Amino acid sequence: MCGIWALFGSDECLSVQCLSAMKIAHRGPDAFRFENVNGFTNCCFGFHRLAVVDQLYGMQPIRVKKFPYLWLCYNGEIYNFKQLQKQFGFDYQTLVDGEVILHLYNRGGIEQTASMLDGVFAFILLDTANRKVFLARDTYGVRPLFKMLTDDGFLGVCSEAKGLINLKHSTSLSSQVEPFLPGHYEVLDLKPSGKVSSVELVKFHSCKDEPLHVAYDTVEALPSGFDLETVKSNIRILFENAVRKRLMSHRRIGCLLSGGLDSSLVAAVLLKQMKEININYPLQTFAIGMENSPDLLAARKVAAHIGSEHHEVMFSTEEGIQAIEEVIFSLETYDITTIRASIGMYLVSKYIRKKTDSVVIFSGEGSDELTQGYIYFHKAPSPEEAAEESERLLKELYLFDVLRADRTTAAHGLELRVPFLDHRFTSYYLSLPAELRIPKNGIEKYLLRLSFEDSSLLPKEILWRPKEAFSDGIASVKKSWFSILQDYIDQQVDDLLLEKAAEKYPFNPPKTKESYYYRQIFEKHYSGRSSWLPHYWMPRWVKATDPSARTLKHYKSATQE
């Protein structure tokens, strides 16, 4: 996990512009480099490093003697770099996984490069010999990337929008800072002036398509067919493989553990595989909540079962409320449910950074979208519509859960790993008949639970624990976290302000005091950038006015049974 930043065609002094690069310093607390591009005095790269792989030669932009005309700045992990080296006979000069991008590009161009990478990535690749700039981002946008391109060809690229919004440019031409779309690459021509012009934006991978790199995977071809035993076995094999490949790290590995199905499965499989490859330190697991919250109690049970070194992080109402502004600044969004869920994750990440030496953090993001884990999937009109909704949610992850997971951990210099969003695992799961993937017997994620039922990885009551919204599970049963937030905010926002909200904020107008309060803070830091959020996250097929699962009729917490 790093922070990348680059400018092409800046009319302003680069020493002034590079102050913007410091806005993402939290993403790479180990080292910083600022480097001009030879022959292009108005082009430069900025890089904040979190050293996870190859601590000696991992600084960026990466340049190797074999390709002196290539410059690479990337944020991510490429899990198949060794398999690709073996397959194509690449001669690596460093131990950095990202070096494979240079060799793939030299061998087959940008399309093949982006398609062959098994991992999470956002990168800027400069080819000065052919005067091209390439941008690319992984299928689900697990690693963030923003760009700004003015009408006269000044390009800024950064891991977070905050590193671009204050850039200076000489013209009064409008510059839109926008997220770079996941699963895409862009080709830009680099002019002698250092300015650029966009040539094409190409979608190189859809979540349903089996990725090209499967041909070089460590797991052989799986048995075909949709009989239940075959499907369950394939799900286990691919999920365990997704966790195994993510063990690539020179820094200590930890795991977030809410006690729900997703994080518990990740933690259990992770600990098992750490033992198998003889990692000689205990796995630290981390749960956060208010006193006696459902998540803390469930996580304690899981940690005892799997034998992790468990940390419980308690927070008070005051601490949660005090963190709201910092969280919104980190997130760069005003989405209601994202902010609610981010507060706990932000505070637990702060604890991990200050109190432990775990840096690479596993988490369960992506499972709800992939395996139809949200409560409202019970109301889907048909399996086909549920399958379509699952794909829509996966495509929008970069606006919601993946954004939350990245920014809350990166704010504290941690690197997140999300095995549920493994390309091969997700494409297989989405290839299964729609009927197999829907909730059954009133239980969401039924197929995933069933696949692990015969293993002793988790206690049965955890494997079949009903869904808790993360922002609710951290609070007590008597009063959910969103109710606590709403009670506080009710005193902060005047009724009259809410009545005039649509006049003040015509795009995505706030409908509640809570959303008004978040929007005010967002506009304070990112004025006029409301289009970063195309719409609020809300459940479908139900008349919901609030995104919390606890407001849905189907919702039933374990204590009410």
Short mmCIF file of all heavy atoms in Angstrom, two decimals, residues 305-358:
data_model
loop_
_atom_site.label_atom_id
_atom_site.label_comp_id
_atom_site.label_asym_id
_atom_site.label_seq_id
_atom_site.Cartn_x
_atom_site.Cartn_y
_atom_site.Cartn_z
N HIS A 305 -11.67 -19.92 19.32
CA HIS A 305 -11.78 -21.15 18.52
C HIS A 305 -10.55 -21.35 17.62
O HIS A 305 -10.02 -22.44 17.52
CB HIS A 305 -13.06 -21.11 17.67
CG HIS A 305 -13.29 -22.35 16.86
ND1 HIS A 305 -13.91 -23.46 17.38
CD2 HIS A 305 -12.96 -22.66 15.58
CE1 HIS A 305 -13.96 -24.40 16.44
NE2 HIS A 305 -13.40 -23.95 15.35
N ILE A 306 -10.12 -20.27 16.97
CA ILE A 306 -9.01 -20.42 16.01
C ILE A 306 -7.64 -20.25 16.67
O ILE A 306 -6.63 -20.67 16.12
CB ILE A 306 -9.14 -19.44 14.80
CG1 ILE A 306 -9.00 -17.97 15.24
CG2 ILE A 306 -10.43 -19.69 14.05
CD1 ILE A 306 -8.98 -16.98 14.07
N GLY A 307 -7.62 -19.63 17.85
CA GLY A 307 -6.35 -19.48 18.58
C GLY A 307 -5.51 -18.30 18.15
O GLY A 307 -4.28 -18.39 18.07
N SER A 308 -6.16 -17.17 17.89
CA SER A 308 -5.40 -15.96 17.51
C SER A 308 -5.06 -15.14 18.75
O SER A 308 -5.65 -15.33 19.82
CB SER A 308 -6.21 -15.11 16.53
OG SER A 308 -7.40 -14.65 17.14
N GLU A 309 -4.10 -14.22 18.58
CA GLU A 309 -3.79 -13.25 19.64
C GLU A 309 -4.78 -12.11 19.46
O GLU A 309 -4.62 -11.27 18.58
CB GLU A 309 -2.35 -12.75 19.48
CG GLU A 309 -1.95 -11.73 20.54
CD GLU A 309 -0.68 -10.96 20.16
OE1 GLU A 309 0.37 -11.61 19.95
OE2 GLU A 309 -0.74 -9.72 20.04
N HIS A 310 -5.81 -12.09 20.29
CA HIS A 310 -6.95 -11.21 20.01
C HIS A 310 -6.89 -9.89 20.75
O HIS A 310 -6.57 -9.84 21.94
CB HIS A 310 -8.24 -11.96 20.36
CG HIS A 310 -9.48 -11.27 19.87
ND1 HIS A 310 -9.65 -10.92 18.55
CD2 HIS A 310 -10.59 -10.85 20.52
CE1 HIS A 310 -10.83 -10.32 18.41
NE2 HIS A 310 -11.41 -10.26 19.59
N HIS A 311 -7.21 -8.81 20.03
CA HIS A 311 -7.24 -7.47 20.61
C HIS A 311 -8.67 -6.91 20.50
O HIS A 311 -9.24 -6.91 19.42
CB HIS A 311 -6.30 -6.52 19.85
CG HIS A 311 -4.86 -6.91 19.93
ND1 HIS A 311 -3.90 -6.09 20.50
CD2 HIS A 311 -4.20 -8.03 19.53
CE1 HIS A 311 -2.72 -6.69 20.44
NE2 HIS A 311 -2.87 -7.86 19.84
N GLU A 312 -9.18 -6.44 21.63
CA GLU A 312 -10.50 -5.79 21.61
C GLU A 312 -10.32 -4.29 21.80
O GLU A 312 -9.68 -3.85 22.76
CB GLU A 312 -11.39 -6.34 22.73
CG GLU A 312 -11.83 -7.76 22.46
CD GLU A 312 -12.82 -8.27 23.50
OE1 GLU A 312 -13.12 -7.52 24.47
OE2 GLU A 312 -13.29 -9.41 23.36
N VAL A 313 -10.86 -3.53 20.87
CA VAL A 313 -10.74 -2.08 20.93
C VAL A 313 -12.11 -1.52 21.28
O VAL A 313 -13.07 -1.67 20.53
CB VAL A 313 -10.26 -1.51 19.57
CG1 VAL A 313 -10.07 0.00 19.66
CG2 VAL A 313 -8.96 -2.19 19.12
N MET A 314 -12.19 -0.88 22.45
CA MET A 314 -13.46 -0.30 22.88
C MET A 314 -13.47 1.19 22.55
O MET A 314 -12.44 1.85 22.67
CB MET A 314 -13.63 -0.44 24.39
CG MET A 314 -13.38 -1.83 24.89
SD MET A 314 -14.82 -2.87 24.67
CE MET A 314 -15.61 -2.60 26.23
N PHE A 315 -14.62 1.69 22.14
CA PHE A 315 -14.70 3.13 21.95
C PHE A 315 -16.02 3.65 22.52
O PHE A 315 -17.01 2.93 22.60
CB PHE A 315 -14.53 3.52 20.48
CG PHE A 315 -15.72 3.27 19.59
CD1 PHE A 315 -16.57 4.32 19.24
CD2 PHE A 315 -15.99 2.01 19.09
CE1 PHE A 315 -17.66 4.11 18.42
CE2 PHE A 315 -17.08 1.79 18.25
CZ PHE A 315 -17.93 2.85 17.92
N SER A 316 -15.99 4.91 22.91
CA SER A 316 -17.18 5.53 23.50
C SER A 316 -17.93 6.33 22.45
O SER A 316 -17.41 6.60 21.37
CB SER A 316 -16.74 6.49 24.63
OG SER A 316 -15.98 7.55 24.05
N THR A 317 -19.14 6.71 22.79
CA THR A 317 -19.95 7.55 21.90
C THR A 317 -19.17 8.82 21.54
O THR A 317 -19.12 9.22 20.38
CB THR A 317 -21.27 7.96 22.60
OG1 THR A 317 -21.99 6.76 22.91
CG2 THR A 317 -22.12 8.84 21.72
N GLU A 318 -18.52 9.42 22.55
CA GLU A 318 -17.78 10.68 22.33
C GLU A 318 -16.64 10.48 21.33
O GLU A 318 -16.45 11.28 20.43
CB GLU A 318 -17.22 11.21 23.66
CG GLU A 318 -18.26 11.71 24.65
CD GLU A 318 -19.08 10.59 25.28
OE1 GLU A 318 -18.57 9.44 25.39
OE2 GLU A 318 -20.25 10.83 25.62
N GLU A 319 -15.89 9.39 21.49
CA GLU A 319 -14.77 9.13 20.56
C GLU A 319 -15.28 8.93 19.14
O GLU A 319 -14.67 9.41 18.18
CB GLU A 319 -14.00 7.87 21.02
CG GLU A 319 -13.12 8.09 22.22
CD GLU A 319 -12.54 6.78 22.72
OE1 GLU A 319 -13.33 5.87 23.09
OE2 GLU A 319 -11.31 6.66 22.75
N GLY A 320 -16.38 8.22 19.00
CA GLY A 320 -16.95 7.99 17.67
C GLY A 320 -17.38 9.29 17.02
O GLY A 320 -17.08 9.55 15.85
N ILE A 321 -18.06 10.13 17.79
CA ILE A 321 -18.56 11.41 17.26
C ILE A 321 -17.40 12.35 16.93
O ILE A 321 -17.41 13.02 15.90
CB ILE A 321 -19.57 12.03 18.26
CG1 ILE A 321 -20.90 11.26 18.16
CG2 ILE A 321 -19.78 13.51 17.98
CD1 ILE A 321 -21.84 11.47 19.30
N GLN A 322 -16.38 12.35 17.79
CA GLN A 322 -15.22 13.22 17.55
C GLN A 322 -14.48 12.86 16.25
O GLN A 322 -13.84 13.70 15.63
CB GLN A 322 -14.23 13.11 18.71
CG GLN A 322 -14.56 14.08 19.85
CD GLN A 322 -13.69 13.81 21.08
OE1 GLN A 322 -12.76 13.02 21.03
NE2 GLN A 322 -14.01 14.49 22.18
N ALA A 323 -14.57 11.59 15.85
CA ALA A 323 -13.83 11.12 14.67
C ALA A 323 -14.55 11.45 13.35
O ALA A 323 -13.95 11.32 12.28
CB ALA A 323 -13.61 9.62 14.76
N ILE A 324 -15.80 11.90 13.40
CA ILE A 324 -16.59 12.05 12.17
C ILE A 324 -15.88 12.92 11.12
O ILE A 324 -15.77 12.53 9.96
CB ILE A 324 -18.01 12.62 12.47
CG1 ILE A 324 -18.84 11.61 13.26
CG2 ILE A 324 -18.74 12.95 11.16
CD1 ILE A 324 -20.19 12.14 13.75
N GLU A 325 -15.40 14.08 11.54
CA GLU A 325 -14.81 14.98 10.53
C GLU A 325 -13.53 14.40 9.93
O GLU A 325 -13.35 14.45 8.71
CB GLU A 325 -14.53 16.37 11.12
CG GLU A 325 -13.97 17.31 10.06
CD GLU A 325 -14.25 18.79 10.32
OE1 GLU A 325 -14.96 19.12 11.28
OE2 GLU A 325 -13.75 19.60 9.53
N GLU A 326 -12.66 13.83 10.76
CA GLU A 326 -11.44 13.20 10.24
C GLU A 326 -11.81 12.09 9.25
O GLU A 326 -11.15 11.91 8.22
CB GLU A 326 -10.66 12.52 11.38
CG GLU A 326 -9.96 13.41 12.35
CD GLU A 326 -9.48 12.57 13.55
OE1 GLU A 326 -8.81 11.53 13.36
OE2 GLU A 326 -9.81 12.95 14.70
N VAL A 327 -12.82 11.33 9.58
CA VAL A 327 -13.24 10.20 8.74
C VAL A 327 -13.74 10.69 7.38
O VAL A 327 -13.35 10.16 6.33
CB VAL A 327 -14.31 9.35 9.47
CG1 VAL A 327 -15.01 8.40 8.51
CG2 VAL A 327 -13.68 8.57 10.61
N ILE A 328 -14.57 11.72 7.38
CA ILE A 328 -15.10 12.25 6.12
C ILE A 328 -13.97 12.82 5.27
O ILE A 328 -13.92 12.63 4.04
CB ILE A 328 -16.22 13.28 6.37
CG1 ILE A 328 -17.44 12.58 6.98
CG2 ILE A 328 -16.60 14.03 5.08
CD1 ILE A 328 -18.56 13.49 7.44
N PHE A 329 -13.02 13.49 5.90
CA PHE A 329 -11.86 14.02 5.17
C PHE A 329 -11.07 12.86 4.54
O PHE A 329 -10.66 12.94 3.38
CB PHE A 329 -10.95 14.83 6.09
CG PHE A 329 -9.71 15.32 5.40
CD1 PHE A 329 -9.77 16.33 4.44
CD2 PHE A 329 -8.47 14.76 5.68
CE1 PHE A 329 -8.62 16.77 3.77
CE2 PHE A 329 -7.31 15.19 5.02
CZ PHE A 329 -7.39 16.20 4.07
N SER A 330 -10.87 11.80 5.28
CA SER A 330 -10.13 10.63 4.76
C SER A 330 -10.89 9.96 3.62
O SER A 330 -10.30 9.59 2.61
CB SER A 330 -9.89 9.60 5.87
OG SER A 330 -9.02 10.11 6.83
N LEU A 331 -12.20 9.79 3.80
CA LEU A 331 -13.02 9.04 2.84
C LEU A 331 -13.23 9.75 1.50
O LEU A 331 -13.34 9.11 0.46
CB LEU A 331 -14.41 8.77 3.42
CG LEU A 331 -14.54 7.82 4.60
CD1 LEU A 331 -15.98 7.81 5.09
CD2 LEU A 331 -14.11 6.41 4.23
N GLU A 332 -13.40 11.08 1.55
CA GLU A 332 -13.76 11.87 0.36
C GLU A 332 -15.16 11.48 -0.15
O GLU A 332 -15.41 11.41 -1.34
CB GLU A 332 -12.71 11.70 -0.75
CG GLU A 332 -11.31 12.06 -0.30
CD GLU A 332 -10.21 11.74 -1.29
OE1 GLU A 332 -10.38 10.83 -2.12
OE2 GLU A 332 -9.16 12.42 -1.24
N THR A 333 -16.06 11.20 0.79
CA THR A 333 -17.45 10.93 0.40
C THR A 333 -18.38 11.47 1.48
O THR A 333 -17.96 11.76 2.59
CB THR A 333 -17.71 9.42 0.21
OG1 THR A 333 -19.02 9.23 -0.35
CG2 THR A 333 -17.65 8.65 1.53
N TYR A 334 -19.68 11.58 1.11
CA TYR A 334 -20.69 11.98 2.09
C TYR A 334 -21.79 10.92 2.17
O TYR A 334 -22.88 11.15 2.67
CB TYR A 334 -21.28 13.36 1.75
CG TYR A 334 -21.79 13.49 0.33
CD1 TYR A 334 -23.13 13.26 0.01
CD2 TYR A 334 -20.92 13.84 -0.70
CE1 TYR A 334 -23.58 13.37 -1.30
CE2 TYR A 334 -21.37 13.95 -2.01
CZ TYR A 334 -22.71 13.72 -2.31
OH TYR A 334 -23.16 13.82 -3.61
N ASP A 335 -21.48 9.71 1.68
CA ASP A 335 -22.47 8.63 1.72
C ASP A 335 -22.73 8.21 3.17
O ASP A 335 -21.80 8.00 3.95
CB ASP A 335 -21.97 7.42 0.92
CG ASP A 335 -22.97 6.29 0.96
OD1 ASP A 335 -24.10 6.48 0.47
OD2 ASP A 335 -22.63 5.21 1.50
N ILE A 336 -23.99 8.07 3.51
CA ILE A 336 -24.40 7.88 4.90
C ILE A 336 -23.86 6.58 5.50
O ILE A 336 -23.16 6.58 6.51
CB ILE A 336 -25.95 7.89 5.02
CG1 ILE A 336 -26.52 9.19 4.42
CG2 ILE A 336 -26.39 7.74 6.47
CD1 ILE A 336 -27.97 9.09 4.01
N THR A 337 -24.18 5.46 4.86
CA THR A 337 -23.80 4.17 5.45
C THR A 337 -22.28 3.98 5.43
O THR A 337 -21.71 3.36 6.32
CB THR A 337 -24.53 2.99 4.76
OG1 THR A 337 -24.35 1.82 5.54
CG2 THR A 337 -24.03 2.75 3.35
N THR A 338 -21.61 4.56 4.42
CA THR A 338 -20.15 4.44 4.35
C THR A 338 -19.51 5.15 5.55
O THR A 338 -18.59 4.63 6.18
CB THR A 338 -19.63 5.05 3.03
OG1 THR A 338 -20.26 4.38 1.94
CG2 THR A 338 -18.12 4.91 2.91
N ILE A 339 -20.02 6.33 5.88
CA ILE A 339 -19.46 7.09 7.02
C ILE A 339 -19.73 6.37 8.33
O ILE A 339 -18.84 6.21 9.17
CB ILE A 339 -20.01 8.53 7.02
CG1 ILE A 339 -19.50 9.29 5.79
CG2 ILE A 339 -19.62 9.27 8.30
CD1 ILE A 339 -20.22 10.59 5.49
N ARG A 340 -20.97 5.89 8.51
CA ARG A 340 -21.29 5.17 9.75
C ARG A 340 -20.34 4.00 9.97
O ARG A 340 -19.82 3.79 11.06
CB ARG A 340 -22.71 4.62 9.67
CG ARG A 340 -23.81 5.63 9.78
CD ARG A 340 -25.13 4.89 9.60
NE ARG A 340 -26.26 5.79 9.54
CZ ARG A 340 -27.48 5.42 9.16
NH1 ARG A 340 -27.70 4.17 8.80
NH2 ARG A 340 -28.46 6.30 9.13
N ALA A 341 -20.16 3.20 8.92
CA ALA A 341 -19.34 1.99 9.05
C ALA A 341 -17.86 2.31 9.14
O ALA A 341 -17.08 1.52 9.66
CB ALA A 341 -19.61 1.06 7.87
N SER A 342 -17.46 3.48 8.62
CA SER A 342 -16.04 3.83 8.59
C SER A 342 -15.50 4.25 9.96
O SER A 342 -14.30 4.14 10.20
CB SER A 342 -15.80 4.97 7.60
OG SER A 342 -16.04 4.54 6.28
N ILE A 343 -16.36 4.75 10.82
CA ILE A 343 -15.88 5.29 12.10
C ILE A 343 -15.20 4.18 12.92
O ILE A 343 -14.08 4.34 13.40
CB ILE A 343 -17.02 6.00 12.86
CG1 ILE A 343 -17.41 7.27 12.08
CG2 ILE A 343 -16.59 6.33 14.29
CD1 ILE A 343 -18.71 7.91 12.50
N GLY A 344 -15.87 3.03 13.04
CA GLY A 344 -15.26 1.91 13.76
C GLY A 344 -13.98 1.43 13.10
O GLY A 344 -12.98 1.16 13.77
N MET A 345 -13.99 1.35 11.77
CA MET A 345 -12.82 0.85 11.05
C MET A 345 -11.64 1.83 11.16
O MET A 345 -10.49 1.42 11.24
CB MET A 345 -13.19 0.59 9.59
CG MET A 345 -12.26 -0.37 8.90
SD MET A 345 -13.03 -1.06 7.42
CE MET A 345 -11.68 -2.08 6.82
N TYR A 346 -11.94 3.10 11.15
CA TYR A 346 -10.92 4.14 11.30
C TYR A 346 -10.27 4.05 12.68
O TYR A 346 -9.05 4.10 12.83
CB TYR A 346 -11.57 5.51 11.09
CG TYR A 346 -10.63 6.69 11.13
CD1 TYR A 346 -9.97 7.11 9.98
CD2 TYR A 346 -10.42 7.41 12.31
CE1 TYR A 346 -9.11 8.21 10.01
CE2 TYR A 346 -9.58 8.50 12.35
CZ TYR A 346 -8.92 8.90 11.20
OH TYR A 346 -8.08 9.99 11.23
N LEU A 347 -11.11 3.87 13.70
CA LEU A 347 -10.59 3.83 15.08
C LEU A 347 -9.80 2.55 15.35
O LEU A 347 -8.78 2.58 16.05
CB LEU A 347 -11.74 3.97 16.09
CG LEU A 347 -12.44 5.35 16.11
CD1 LEU A 347 -13.66 5.32 17.00
CD2 LEU A 347 -11.48 6.45 16.55
N VAL A 348 -10.23 1.43 14.78
CA VAL A 348 -9.47 0.18 14.98
C VAL A 348 -8.14 0.25 14.23
O VAL A 348 -7.11 -0.23 14.72
CB VAL A 348 -10.30 -1.07 14.62
CG1 VAL A 348 -10.40 -1.32 13.13
CG2 VAL A 348 -9.71 -2.32 15.29
N SER A 349 -8.12 0.89 13.08
CA SER A 349 -6.87 1.05 12.32
C SER A 349 -5.89 1.93 13.07
O SER A 349 -4.68 1.67 13.09
CB SER A 349 -7.16 1.66 10.93
OG SER A 349 -7.99 0.81 10.18
N LYS A 350 -6.43 2.96 13.72
CA LYS A 350 -5.59 3.86 14.53
C LYS A 350 -4.92 3.08 15.66
O LYS A 350 -3.74 3.25 15.95
CB LYS A 350 -6.51 4.97 15.09
CG LYS A 350 -5.79 6.15 15.72
CD LYS A 350 -6.85 7.18 16.12
CE LYS A 350 -6.24 8.48 16.59
NZ LYS A 350 -7.30 9.48 16.88
N TYR A 351 -5.70 2.21 16.28
CA TYR A 351 -5.18 1.37 17.37
C TYR A 351 -4.07 0.44 16.84
O TYR A 351 -3.00 0.32 17.46
CB TYR A 351 -6.32 0.54 17.97
CG TYR A 351 -5.84 -0.54 18.93
CD1 TYR A 351 -5.69 -0.28 20.29
CD2 TYR A 351 -5.51 -1.82 18.47
CE1 TYR A 351 -5.24 -1.26 21.17
CE2 TYR A 351 -5.06 -2.81 19.33
CZ TYR A 351 -4.92 -2.52 20.67
OH TYR A 351 -4.46 -3.49 21.53
N ILE A 352 -4.33 -0.22 15.71
CA ILE A 352 -3.35 -1.17 15.14
C ILE A 352 -2.02 -0.46 14.88
O ILE A 352 -0.95 -0.97 15.20
CB ILE A 352 -3.90 -1.81 13.84
CG1 ILE A 352 -5.13 -2.68 14.14
CG2 ILE A 352 -2.82 -2.65 13.15
CD1 ILE A 352 -5.90 -3.14 12.90
N ARG A 353 -2.10 0.74 14.31
CA ARG A 353 -0.88 1.48 13.97
C ARG A 353 -0.09 1.87 15.23
O ARG A 353 1.13 1.78 15.27
CB ARG A 353 -1.27 2.73 13.17
CG ARG A 353 -0.08 3.53 12.67
CD ARG A 353 0.63 2.81 11.54
NE ARG A 353 1.96 3.34 11.27
CZ ARG A 353 2.80 2.81 10.42
NH1 ARG A 353 2.48 1.73 9.75
NH2 ARG A 353 3.98 3.34 10.22
N LYS A 354 -0.83 2.32 16.24
CA LYS A 354 -0.16 2.84 17.45
C LYS A 354 0.32 1.74 18.40
O LYS A 354 1.36 1.88 19.03
CB LYS A 354 -1.13 3.75 18.23
CG LYS A 354 -1.23 5.16 17.67
CD LYS A 354 -2.08 6.00 18.61
CE LYS A 354 -2.05 7.47 18.18
NZ LYS A 354 -2.95 8.29 19.01
N LYS A 355 -0.45 0.68 18.51
CA LYS A 355 -0.21 -0.29 19.60
C LYS A 355 0.39 -1.62 19.15
O LYS A 355 0.72 -2.45 19.99
CB LYS A 355 -1.54 -0.60 20.32
CG LYS A 355 -2.29 0.62 20.81
CD LYS A 355 -1.69 1.14 22.10
CE LYS A 355 -2.60 2.20 22.71
NZ LYS A 355 -2.01 2.85 23.87
N THR A 356 0.49 -1.87 17.84
CA THR A 356 0.98 -3.17 17.40
C THR A 356 1.97 -2.99 16.24
O THR A 356 2.14 -1.88 15.73
CB THR A 356 -0.17 -4.09 16.91
OG1 THR A 356 -0.56 -3.70 15.58
CG2 THR A 356 -1.38 -4.03 17.83
N ASP A 357 2.56 -4.10 15.81
CA ASP A 357 3.44 -4.03 14.65
C ASP A 357 2.84 -4.72 13.43
O ASP A 357 3.51 -4.99 12.45
CB ASP A 357 4.83 -4.61 14.96
CG ASP A 357 4.77 -6.06 15.43
OD1 ASP A 357 3.66 -6.54 15.74
OD2 ASP A 357 5.83 -6.70 15.51
N SER A 358 1.54 -5.02 13.47
CA SER A 358 0.85 -5.56 12.28
C SER A 358 0.66 -4.43 11.27
O SER A 358 0.24 -3.33 11.64
CB SER A 358 -0.51 -6.15 12.66
OG SER A 358 -0.35 -7.39 13.32
#
